[in-house]
Amino acid sequence: MFNLANLKVARFRYNSPWTQVCLVGFVACCSVGMKSALNGLGGGGLGDVQLSDIANSVLYGCFFISGFFSGSVNNILGPRLTMSLGATGYALYLGALWNFHVNGTRWFLILAGAILGITAALFWAAQGCIMMSYPLEKDKGRSFTAFWVIFQFGALLGALIALRIEIHSTLPTISAKVYIAFMIVMLTSIATSWLVLPPHLVVRGDNTVVEVQKSLSPKQEWREFVQVFRDWRMVALFPMFLASNYFYAYQGALTAFLFNGRTRALVAVLTGLGSMIGSLAIGYLTDSLPYPRRTRALIACVLVFILTCGIWGSGLGFQLKFDRNTTTILGHQTPWDWTTSVSIGPILLIFTYYIVDALFQGLAYYTMSSMTNDPFKLARMAGYYKGIQSAGSAISFGMDAVKTPFLGEILISSLLILVSLPLAALVLFRIRDTNYEIENTLYIGDVKSQDDNPVQQAHIEQKTSEP
């Protein structure tokens, strides 16, 4: 039987970390990216934004609970099976959106949201484990860039599909054709997830392997899981994790409130581009600046803080001009089409929101990946991160569902980000320039020389200097 791990074409190796990170990005592109595109259309493309908020509140509420345990599930099942289970939930949720569009079935959408909350936690635990532990330390910022650009290409592709279908429509909602096109793309993610290699088959450019440890028992996993909550660094990062998706409810509701269907599709295209730009910037800041790792990370943190003040401050100034009951803004009736002259500024504002979003998300991942190289620990951290993140999303979508004033939503969203960044800087100030000196190493030659005596190590990493 052909072994994908042995596939090599010229300089391309299937078992390299970069290949695996890009493959995970493609799975996310065809699953999470499609859902992000729907969110970018405002209210999942539905005319009933309140129902979408309720479904998302249930989704993130279940995500919050299951997120804490998803890292341990990943460590027991392995990232391949965990990711495949996670991708399945996205296709089910899209089917529920489509079903509501055709038949108006509300309960199934809410149920699908709950199921997706569980499966999405599994997906993101596997994703975090692979993206943060497979690459060399010097590549961890750019591995986020590679993943995030490919992932956001899904949101961009989905938005372009919707824009192409809806370009001549002036209706307030999108058509069933959009859901059909998205479903075709989304189903490919389930099959593609099985092409991901398990960690012990991945070999880095310096011939070190990621890990060869057998899975811990559930009892051992539980003990390690509890330790995450006792780590002061994870406690300090709690506000950052809570803030990281909190603003999506406000931004989605704002998009649906201001624009018609085809303009929302255009906004979704621009938000995908904004996310790509932000991810490229954070990768450069954290990996390429000519300074030690701690200095690079702190520079990135300060820059994100400054941009947040400027962009969210501009958003607050715009938000003061209207509320949920306003029907005419800046002298024009809503919803706006892109041909409306005053729509340009708000469209660009939402575009810049997503640049800062990618910078913020990348900084969060880089902070965690700087704390350790251990894939098991990073999977638990990713689960903790996504659990707290989802709690924030559940709260924000719940607030939007009960028509909380836009002004209140933007104030909470922006203040959470601003409070979280100094605490993140405190954690970054304590990171080491390398973890190789305190974590063990295993080279591929060592693995081959121990055919019948697999190494039982919790930390399998490079201890020598990087090339």
Side-chain angles (χ1 to χ4, degrees):
M1 184 177 179
F2 179 71
N3 187 354
L4 278 175
N6 296 327
L7 178 62
K8 183 177 181 180
V9 179
R11 298 180 63 182
F12 168 83
R13 286 190 301 112
Y14 193 83
N15 65 347
S16 76
W18 285 108
T19 302
Q20 295 304 302
V21 169
C22 290
L23 184 58
V24 172
F26 181 78
V27 176
C29 166
C30 297
S31 55
V32 192
M34 293 295 107
K35 184 180 182 299
S36 296
L38 285 172
N39 288 341
L41 296 173
L46 303 177
D48 191 339
V49 177
Q50 186 177 32
L51 173 61
S52 178
D53 283 340
I54 293 171
N56 276 301
S57 292
V58 172
L59 188 164
Y60 287 112
C62 293
F63 201 155
F64 164 61
I65 297 171
S66 57
F68 291 121
F69 304 98
S70 59
S72 294
V73 173
N74 174 80
N75 292 342
I76 294 171
L77 298 181
R80 176 189 288 168
L81 177 56
T82 305
M83 181 166 291
S84 181
L85 291 172
T88 303
Y90 286 96
L92 176 65
Y93 185 76
L94 178 62
L97 285 170
W98 182 11
N99 180 61
F100 175 79
H101 185 89
V102 175
N103 301 315
T105 308
R106 300 170 65 89
W107 67 266
F108 183 53
L109 178 58
I110 296 172
L111 175 63
I115 295 172
L116 178 57
I118 297 171
T119 61
L122 299 178
F123 175 89
W124 285 105
Q127 176 272 339
C129 172
I130 292 170
M131 188 188 74
M132 293 191 288
S133 70
Y134 282 20
L136 291 165
E137 283 185 350
K138 69 184 182 65
D139 298 327
K140 288 192 175 187
R142 285 172 292 176
S143 74
F144 170 81
T145 296
F147 168 81
W148 207 256
V149 166
I150 298 170
F151 158 45
Q152 288 299 330
F153 181 75
L156 180 62
L157 175 64
L160 286 171
I161 291 171
L163 181 60
R164 174 65 184 86
I165 294 172
E166 300 293 306
I167 192 166
H168 298 299
S169 172
T170 56
L171 297 175
T173 61
I174 62 176
S175 65
K177 293 179 182 179
V178 175
Y179 294 108
I180 296 172
F182 279 27
M183 180 62 76
I184 294 171
V185 176
M186 221 177 238
L187 289 175
T188 64
S189 66
I190 301 173
T192 307
S193 64
W194 285 98
L195 299 177
V196 174
L197 292 179
H200 69 276
L201 295 179
V202 177
V203 181
R204 301 188 180 96
D206 60 353
N207 286 326
T208 56
V209 298
V210 177
E211 60 93 7
V212 294
Q213 181 191 10
K214 291 182 179 179
S215 298
L216 300 177
S217 68
K219 185 176 181 179
Q220 290 172 312
E221 266 298 332
W222 172 254
R223 290 174 179 171
E224 295 296 328
F225 167 73
V226 172
Q227 292 303 315
V228 174
F229 292 85
R230 295 178 177 176
D231 189 332
W232 72 267
R233 297 170 298 179
M234 300 305 286
V235 175
L237 292 172
F238 181 96
M240 186 179 208
F241 297 166
L242 186 70
S244 58
N245 270 13
Y246 192 94
F247 41 78
Y248 285 160
Y250 166 73
Q251 292 169 354
L254 183 66
T255 301
F257 181 82
L258 292 176
F259 308 116
N260 62 16
R262 70 172 189 166
T263 307
R264 280 149 55 183
L266 174 64
V267 169
V269 171
L270 293 175
T271 57
L273 287 173
S275 294
M276 291 180 181
I277 292 170
S279 65
L280 289 168
I282 196 68
Y284 174 79
L285 290 169
T286 53
D287 279 358
S288 300
L289 290 179
Y291 305 108
R293 177 162 72 170
R294 179 188 301 167
T295 304
R296 297 195 306 266
L298 289 171
I299 290 173
C301 189
V302 171
L303 179 62
V304 174
F305 184 86
I306 293 171
L307 287 175
T308 298
C309 291
I311 292 172
W312 281 88
S314 299
L316 179 59
F318 173 64
Q319 185 58 71
L320 291 172
K321 300 179 184 298
F322 65 95
D323 57 30
R324 287 185 181 271
N325 298 317
T326 306
T327 58
T328 300
I329 304 172
L330 301 177
H332 293 267
Q333 189 81 15
T334 57
W336 292 335
D337 187 69
W338 67 49
T339 58
T340 305
S341 59
V342 296
S343 67
I344 303 301
I347 289 173
L348 292 177
L349 173 65
I350 296 173
F351 167 71
T352 57
Y353 277 151
Y354 278 78
I355 294 177
V356 175
D357 168 39
L359 287 165
F360 191 79
Q361 305 283 352
L363 184 64
Y365 274 114
Y366 189 80
T367 303
M368 289 184 287
S369 65
S370 299
M371 292 162 60
T372 181
N373 296 319
D374 184 340
F376 279 19
K377 287 184 178 179
L378 288 169
R380 297 184 198 104
M381 288 181 183
Y384 174 89
Y385 167 48
K386 301 305 289 191
I388 300 301
Q389 181 185 74
S390 299
S393 296
I395 295 169
S396 62
F397 278 106
M399 291 176 62
D400 195 67
V402 296
K403 306 298 182 184
T404 301
F406 283 145
L407 182 60
E409 291 189 14
I410 190 175
L411 285 173
I412 295 174
S413 297
S414 55
L415 287 174
L416 276 174
I417 299 173
L418 293 175
V419 169
S420 69
L421 286 170
L423 292 172
L426 177 63
V427 175
L428 290 169
F429 185 75
R430 300 292 296 274
I431 65 172
R432 303 177 182 87
D433 281 332
T434 179
N435 291 314
Y436 292 145
E437 297 176 356
I438 63 169
E439 295 181 345
N440 297 324
T441 304
L442 193 72
Y443 286 86
I444 187 63
D446 299 329
V447 177
K448 292 179 179 178
S449 67
Q450 301 181 44
D451 295 331
D452 299 317
N453 185 28
V455 179
Q456 303 296 309
Q457 293 181 208
H459 309 287
I460 311 296
E461 292 293 333
Q462 179 189 18
K463 66 182 177 182
T464 58
S465 299
E466 298 171 46

